[in-house]
Amino acid sequence: MAESITTDPLTPVLSATWGADRSWTLQTYEQHEGYAGLRAALRQQPGEIIDTVKESGLRGRGGAGFPTGMKWGFLPKPDGGPRYLVVNADESEPGTCKDIPLMLAAPHLLVEGVVITSFAIGCNHAFIYVRGEVVHVYRRLMQAVEEAYAAGYLGRNILGSGFDLDITVHAGAGAYICGEETALLDSLEGLRGQPRLKPPFPAVAGLYARPTVVNNVESIASVPSIIRRGPDWFKSMGTEKSTGYGIFSLSGHVTRPGQYEAPLGTTLRQLLDLAGGIREGHELKFWTPGGSSTPIFTAEHLDVPLDFEQVAAAGSMLGTRALQIFDETTCVVRATLRWTEFYAHESCGKCTPCREGTFWMKQVLRRLEAGQGTEEDLDTLLDQCDNILGRAFCALGDGATSPVMSSIKYFRDEFIAHQREGRCPFDPVASTLFAGADIQ
Amino acid sequence: MAIPAQTRERLATECRQIMARYPQRRSALLPMLHLVQSEEGYVSPDGIALCAELLDLTAAEVAAVATFYTQFKRHPNGEYTVGVCTNTLCAVMGGDAIYDSLSEHLGVGHDETTEDGKITLERIECNAACDYAPVVMVNWEFFDNQTPASAREVTDRLRAGEDVAPTRGAAKVCTFKEISRVLAGFPDGRANEGVGAGPATLEGVRLAERNGWKAPSQDGDGTQSGPSEEK
Ligand SMILES: Cc1cc2nc3c(=O)[nH]c(=O)nc-3n(C[C@H](O)[C@H](O)[C@H](O)COP(=O)(O)O)c2cc1C
Ligand code: SF4
């Protein structure tokens, strides 16, 4: 079982082929056991595949961590009408940068996962909704789908199994909210991307009001390896309730930012060790464990195992393992203001707490950052968070409160220092990548 | 700018091809808007009317959708959209300085176009390339680890009509109209150009290779490799 086994610090599965020559082609993918998982899956009953994924403990990699196999199991019994799989490839949560490089380097990993998942849930038309702002990723996905049709992995009677599947790769057009699964479905139906009331959940009434599974790219890309190597293999990595490997994305003030695929439960201290530490001559100040919607952490959280339970117990969320790392040169008020401007910009406007609340938080934070705020402004901000959190229509509103509440919690003094000095006490040049270099 | 009848006919045919990709034709609206944008460089009243007619919608219904999404332009766009990420991480790593420098250099602000019609400058949100911060997107291709000077140079070369290659993407940045057509789902044959992954993407894989680190070999028997400890 999971506890007794020591795995290597890094466990590349999804990323294993990214460095291969022409890694994105079918030929390269097949040379690395590509579509072996599909062949194995097609020899099984769909229900067995769902059981295997349940057994593996795989939890959604798109942020919320919902058990993937259980989600598939929620679909009602087939009624003869269509059922859909929609892959969420909208990746827009600030700090999150794993799905895009995955699809650029290994689009077939996703395509194979889509075919297996579709077979398991009885879907004959799947969609990949990719954000529109990554044209080369869209090219690679379209080509991968074309290659898969030509090789008989898509289309009619796939590999002689009698199973039919079409994939449509769909480009969005710029809107963070379209990553929220029900907004994504509205957008895919050709509407403004605004969240839907739940219930009904997509499993019951999703795309075109039909039973629909929405899963993240990394979740679906994990399926082929689970089918090929079994649930026990998957569970031999990670922690008891957060099994398997996951991509940790390190960005910001680290020596070697990048993608590090490791067992869930790895700590930031261990990851920093692999990434060469905080950039030379500096020290860690604050970081996000899972994107900007997850409350920030500080150096006191270096040893928190990064799995769903333990990050939550420490007061944040694992989210998308988007580790944005900031050293002591960074002004936390500036960071919070910018994130808040982002949420205000991306608020879809459907509900009042988020639409109005993010706007007002932005105004107050601007004042504070300019050194013209007061200490009461901090209470006003916390009050505004109170009015959004739990009252917004979707999780975007809740997410908008995370940076504000957590930065005030850990760095109250820094907000006050702005007021005392009547300006931001930080030099923005010192925190840039090119600080000190003569490249202005 | 009115769409000539012949062009309109071709666009209508292509729009029907897009509709055929979906069980319900309204799903085609976003790609159709990318397509009309590829013709005129923005979503014009004519383009909206065409989409509305083909989908049995009112022009107001189509406009309501078009205005929701930041990639759809309401006035003619430059040949190249230069988007500087100024979300928190990129801003801190230098995105703010890059944006300011470009704005001054080009003499335009957010969502404004240079007089020669070449460049539309934008502040953009996180584009999922944080490990390459600060990031600049030109027509939605990645320019990684930029500086104010490197970004200015990119714009100078674009304005001089040179081919400019992104860090991770096609062999050269295509025009705004060309990439809009790709986003409508009409491939331009460039998928095999460029790298599979940049250095930051491969940081973890390479480190694992050097140390012999792997996922367990089978069935959770936990091969404890890792004799070497190089970091
Ligand atoms: C504002 C907002 C943005 C989101 N963006 C994404 C996204 O870009 N990609 C993603 O997979 N999930 C995103 N999610 C989560 C999805 O709603 C959903 O939980 C996820 O796609 C389910 O897939 P999973 O179970 O495989 O994680 C977002 C949620 C919210 C509230
Ligand atoms: S919380 Fe914000 S994004 Fe979500 S529905 Fe309300 S206004 Fe829209």
Side-chain angles (χ1 to χ4, degrees):
Chain A
M1 267 308 295
E3 300 76 23
S4 58
I5 287 158
T6 323
T7 36
D8 288 342
L10 291 173
T11 49
V13 177
L14 304 177
S15 57
T17 63
W18 292 357
D21 189 36
R22 290 165 64 89
S23 62
W24 61 88
T25 60
L26 178 60
Q27 192 186 7
T28 304
Y29 189 63
E30 283 180 327
Q31 283 162 3
H32 295 86
E33 302 184 282
Y35 290 98
L38 174 63
R39 287 175 199 279
L42 291 174
R43 285 192 293 269
Q44 301 177 24
Q45 293 302 313
E48 287 176 62
I49 298 169
I50 298 181
D51 288 343
T52 302
V53 173
K54 275 185 186 161
E55 169 72 24
S56 76
L58 173 66
R59 294 172 65 174
R61 301 301 195 228
F66 194 84
T68 304
M70 196 190 292
K71 183 185 277 189
W72 299 358
F74 282 158
L75 289 193
K77 291 219 158 10
D79 62 2
R83 302 144 79 82
Y84 297 108
L85 169 65
V86 177
V87 175
N88 191 340
D90 194 56
E91 188 162 74
S92 312
E93 164 83 5
T96 309
C97 51
K98 62 191 180 65
D99 300 338
I100 293 297
L102 185 156
M103 293 184 287
L104 190 67
H108 280 286
L109 199 52
L110 178 60
V111 174
E112 183 180 4
V114 169
V115 187
I116 297 173
T117 305
S118 297
F119 177 66
I121 65 169
C123 155
N124 300 113
H125 194 161
F127 297 84
I128 301 174
Y129 184 109
V130 61
R131 66 183 297 186
E133 302 104 318
V134 283
V135 67
H136 210 52
V137 170
Y138 189 56
R139 289 188 182 105
R140 291 259 162 96
L141 281 170
M142 282 197 293
Q143 172 166 297
V145 166
E146 250 173 54
E147 286 180 313
Y149 271 109
Y153 299 128
L154 282 175
R156 303 294 138 255
N157 191 20
I158 293 170
L159 301 178
S161 65
F163 173 61
D164 302 337
L165 179 67
D166 287 309
I167 295 182
T168 299
V169 190
H170 179 94
Y176 165 62
I177 188 58
C178 290
E180 195 283 333
E181 58 184 15
T182 61
L184 185 148
L185 294 173
D186 262 27
S187 179
L188 183 53
E189 290 183 6
L191 303 164
R192 296 163 73 93
Q194 291 187 313
R196 300 175 178 176
L197 193 65
K198 292 192 269 191
F201 288 92
V204 175
L207 186 63
Y208 313 128
R210 294 293 306 165
T212 301
V213 167
V214 183
N215 269 132
N216 169 258
V217 169
E218 191 187 353
S219 311
I220 294 295
S222 300
V223 170
S225 63
I226 292 173
I227 297 304
R228 219 172 58 231
R229 309 179 74 169
D232 290 335
W233 166 80
F234 191 75
K235 284 192 290 191
S236 74
M237 291 168 272
T239 58
E240 195 188 339
K241 290 185 180 151
S242 300
T243 56
Y245 50 80
I247 302 169
F248 292 84
S249 308
L250 272 68
S251 63
H253 293 136
V254 295
T255 307
R256 287 187 296 275
Q259 309 300 322
Y260 295 82
E261 193 176 358
L264 298 190
T266 303
T267 66
L268 180 62
R269 190 185 299 283
Q270 291 167 323
L271 289 164
L272 275 178
D273 212 23
L274 301 172
I278 299 290
R279 66 174 176 159
E280 203 174 343
H282 295 276
E283 59 189 48
L284 176 62
K285 180 173 173 183
F286 64 97
W287 53 292
T288 65
S292 62
S293 303
T294 64
I296 59 168
F297 273 167
T298 65
E300 67 183 85
H301 303 98
L302 272 167
D303 295 310
V304 173
L306 298 174
D307 70 10
F308 291 104
E309 292 69 35
Q310 298 182 82
V311 175
S316 188
M317 287 173 281
L318 184 63
T320 49
R321 287 150 280 121
L323 308 161
Q324 305 175 88
I325 292 157
F326 300 94
D327 69 19
E328 84 291 346
T329 63
T330 315
C331 172
V332 79
V333 182
R334 176 183 175 210
T336 306
L337 167 61
R338 196 56 64 87
W339 277 321
T340 304
E341 287 173 333
F342 164 76
Y343 289 106
H345 181 242
E346 299 296 332
S347 167
C348 82
K350 180 165 179 150
C351 71
T352 313
C354 167
R355 183 187 61 239
E356 302 297 319
T358 52
F359 173 82
W360 287 111
M361 288 205 299
K362 179 177 81 177
Q363 305 300 319
V364 176
L365 276 161
R366 279 190 181 157
R367 192 157 72 213
L368 281 162
E369 205 243 355
Q372 287 152 11
T374 63
E375 203 167 342
E376 288 80 75
D377 281 342
L378 298 184
D379 298 327
T380 308
L381 275 175
L382 292 174
D383 230 35
Q384 288 166 332
C385 288
D386 233 28
N387 284 321
I388 299 174
L389 192 62
R391 293 185 167 86
F393 191 81
C394 85
L396 184 146
D398 296 339
T401 67
S402 291
V404 177
M405 296 204 305
S406 56
S407 63
I408 294 177
K409 175 173 165 193
Y410 296 116
F411 297 100
R412 200 180 179 94
D413 291 349
E414 198 165 307
F415 283 84
I416 291 166
H418 281 68
Q419 180 206 354
R420 201 172 47 236
E421 300 194 19
R423 63 180 181 91
C424 175
F426 289 84
D427 170 15
V429 174
S431 58
T432 63
L433 187 67
F434 36 83
D438 187 24
I439 41 180
Q440 290 293 302
Chain B
M1 219 186 330
I3 304 180
Q6 213 181 347
T7 310
R8 199 169 192 282
E9 210 33 61
R10 175 177 55 77
L11 287 175
T13 306
E14 288 173 342
C15 283
R16 287 190 196 96
Q17 290 168 10
I18 298 174
M19 288 182 224
R21 298 178 201 146
Y22 302 90
Q24 294 190 8
R25 61 185 180 169
R26 179 157 182 172
S27 284
L29 183 52
L30 264 60
M32 283 166 64
L33 288 166
H34 281 302
L35 184 70
V36 299
Q37 183 152 272
S38 78
E39 200 56 44
E40 299 191 283
Y42 74 120
V43 177
S44 68
D46 269 16
I48 287 179
L50 178 66
C51 294
E53 183 193 313
L54 293 170
L55 292 174
D56 268 331
L57 299 170
T58 64
E61 285 170 314
V62 174
V65 173
T67 53
F68 186 83
Y69 298 92
T70 51
Q71 277 184 293
F72 296 133
K73 301 297 185 154
R74 277 181 272 179
H75 39 86
N77 200 69
E79 207 172 323
Y80 300 96
T81 291
V82 173
V84 183
C85 178
T86 54
N87 200 300
T88 303
L89 189 113
C90 271
V92 165
M93 300 295 287
D96 278 354
I98 293 171
Y99 178 84
D100 290 345
S101 160
L102 279 184
S103 180
E104 195 193 312
H105 186 64
L106 299 169
V108 295
H110 170 71
D111 202 22
E112 291 173 3
T113 303
T114 53
E115 263 169 32
D116 58 5
K118 286 282 188 187
I119 290 178
T120 302
L121 182 64
E122 277 186 31
R123 293 168 170 280
I124 60 168
E125 299 298 0
C126 184
N127 223 90
C130 317
D131 46 346
Y132 296 97
V135 172
V136 173
M137 303 297 295
V138 181
N139 283 347
W140 310 116
E141 299 269 25
F142 291 107
F143 285 74
D144 300 333
N145 298 126
Q146 293 297 291
T147 65
S150 69
R152 285 196 305 266
E153 190 200 323
V154 168
T155 61
D156 288 346
R157 292 178 56 206
L158 290 169
R159 295 179 86 182
E162 289 176 38
D163 286 350
V164 179
T167 321
R168 291 174 293 140
K172 66 162 197 166
V173 177
C174 300
T175 66
F176 182 73
K177 291 181 180 175
E178 286 166 345
I179 62 103
S180 296
R181 190 175 165 80
V182 175
L183 292 176
F186 296 96
D188 61 359
R190 294 183 178 274
N192 288 324
E193 296 175 3
V195 297
T201 306
L202 296 175
E203 209 55 82
V205 197
R206 297 286 189 237
L207 183 65
E209 270 167 20
R210 286 200 296 279
N211 288 285
W213 293 335
K214 288 191 177 73
S217 59
Q218 210 41 270
D219 285 351
D221 60 5
T223 51
Q224 297 188 25
S225 45
S228 43
E229 273 292 305
E230 185 225 326
K231 291 270 170 71

